[in-house]
């Protein structure tokens, strides 16, 4: 529900600014950036962070999340060096802040970036293994889904089993905004292994994309279509 999320975050940002609450302002700017990232609007995600720096945030955890968000934006734009730098900064900051969930999320970013670089696939696999161990102690369903999405990228040959696990999680969170990416990666994994269920997975891809498209502001639909195309999905919905 991107429209609703954007509306509520913007309203909250206005209220925090009127109350001169810098921590709340930072939280809402980070949230608006996250929302934009989920539909592939990298420019909008970067713009949402305007005015934020290590001096303006309230604590170490916000500093870590800011670095992670900038790393995600860099990764979306294809800048792997900046993505890795953001991930490393976020991991260090999260450890200082004792923010385990943020650290795991930043490590997932690091694993995705490493998987794209030459001669770093082994390091990416090690990073992913450490995250899976950590997530086993963490109850967050979205974080588990983010782990599954990353595993489908880093270890596609094991993807059929990972995708089955992800679909069980998606049944608990059916409106998950990144679902179409998981289903698209799942289709690729099933094709690699000759597994059954490709047609069902393809239907899930189109249904989840159409749902996200319908709830995304018109100004961001072109970015969403580009994001879908980057995953190999050919949207059946006109932007």
């Amino acid at each position: 529900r991107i429209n609703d999320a954007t509306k509520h975050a913007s309203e909250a940002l206005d209220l925090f600014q009127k109350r001169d609450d810098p921590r709340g302002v930072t939280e809402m700017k980070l949230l608006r950036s996250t929302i934009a990232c989920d539909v592939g609007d990298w420019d909008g995600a970067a713009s949402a962070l305007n005015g934020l720096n290590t001096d303006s945030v309230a604590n170490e955890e916000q500093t870590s999340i800011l670095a992670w968000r900038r790393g995600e934006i860099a990764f979306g734009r294809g800048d792997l060096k900046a993505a890795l730098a953001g991930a490393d900064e976020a991991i260090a900051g999260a450890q200082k802040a004792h923010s385990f969930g943020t650290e795991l999320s930043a490590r997932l970013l690091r694993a995705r970036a490493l998987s794209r670089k030459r001669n770093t696939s082994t390091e990416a696999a090690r990073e992913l293994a450490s995250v899976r161990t950590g997530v086993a102690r963490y109850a967050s369903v979205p974080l588990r889904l983010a782990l599954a999405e990353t595993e489908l990228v880093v270890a596609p040959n094991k993807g059929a089993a990972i995708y089955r696990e992800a679909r069980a999680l998606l049944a608990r969170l059916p409106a998950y905004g990144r679902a179409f990416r998981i289903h698209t990666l799942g289709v690729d994994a099933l094709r690699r292994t000759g597994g059954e269920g490709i047609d069902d997975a393809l239907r899930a891809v189109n249904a989840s994309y159409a749902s996200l498209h319908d709830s995304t502001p018109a100004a961001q639909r072109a970015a969403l279509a580009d994001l879908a195309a980057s995953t190999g999905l050919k949207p059946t919905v006109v932007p």
Side-chain angles (χ1 to χ4, degrees), residues 128-218:
L128 203 55
S130 71
V131 175
R132 176 168 273 280
T133 300
V135 168
R137 299 187 282 119
Y138 208 82
S140 168
V141 173
L143 187 55
R144 289 172 182 268
L145 285 167
L147 169 62
E149 181 183 341
T150 305
E151 286 182 313
L152 286 166
V153 172
V154 177
N157 292 330
K158 301 177 181 178
I162 295 167
Y163 181 54
R164 285 195 295 271
E165 181 180 330
R167 291 205 69 159
L169 288 169
L170 285 169
R172 297 168 57 188
L173 199 65
Y176 183 62
R178 298 171 69 97
F180 86 88
R181 279 178 268 193
I182 291 176
H183 291 305
T184 302
L185 291 166
V187 168
D188 180 61
L190 292 173
R191 284 174 173 157
R192 285 171 180 265
T193 60
E196 297 180 357
I198 292 177
D199 289 343
D200 186 40
L202 283 168
R203 284 191 291 270
V205 168
N206 286 310
S208 56
Y209 177 81
S211 176
L212 182 60
H213 172 276
D214 290 346
S215 73
T216 296

Side-chain angles (χ1 to χ4, degrees), residues 29 32-37 39-50 73 77 220 223:
K29 286 187 174 184
R32 292 205 307 177
S33 182
T34 299
I35 295 165
C37 280
V39 295
D41 180 10
W42 312 118
D43 291 342
S47 178
L49 300 177
N50 284 346
I73 294 166
R77 288 172 165 170
Q220 292 179 308

Side-chain angles (χ1 to χ4, degrees), residues 65-140:
I65 295 171
L66 177 59
W68 164 36
R69 184 59 46 226
R70 285 177 171 156
E72 287 277 2
I73 294 166
F75 182 77
R77 288 172 165 170
D79 187 344
L80 299 183
K81 182 178 179 180
L84 282 169
D88 289 340
E89 184 181 345
I91 291 166
Q95 289 173 341
K96 288 181 182 178
H98 304 289
S99 180
F100 191 50
T102 303
E103 180 185 346
L104 291 176
S105 297
R107 287 191 179 281
L108 287 176
L109 168 62
R110 188 170 190 275
R112 291 199 303 275
L114 287 170
S115 72
R116 293 265 186 94
K117 291 191 70 177
R118 290 184 61 185
N119 303 320
T120 56
S121 58
T122 301
E123 189 178 353
R126 282 199 301 267
E127 188 72 84
L128 203 55
S130 71
V131 175
R132 176 168 273 280
T133 300
V135 168
R137 299 187 282 119
Y138 208 82
S140 168

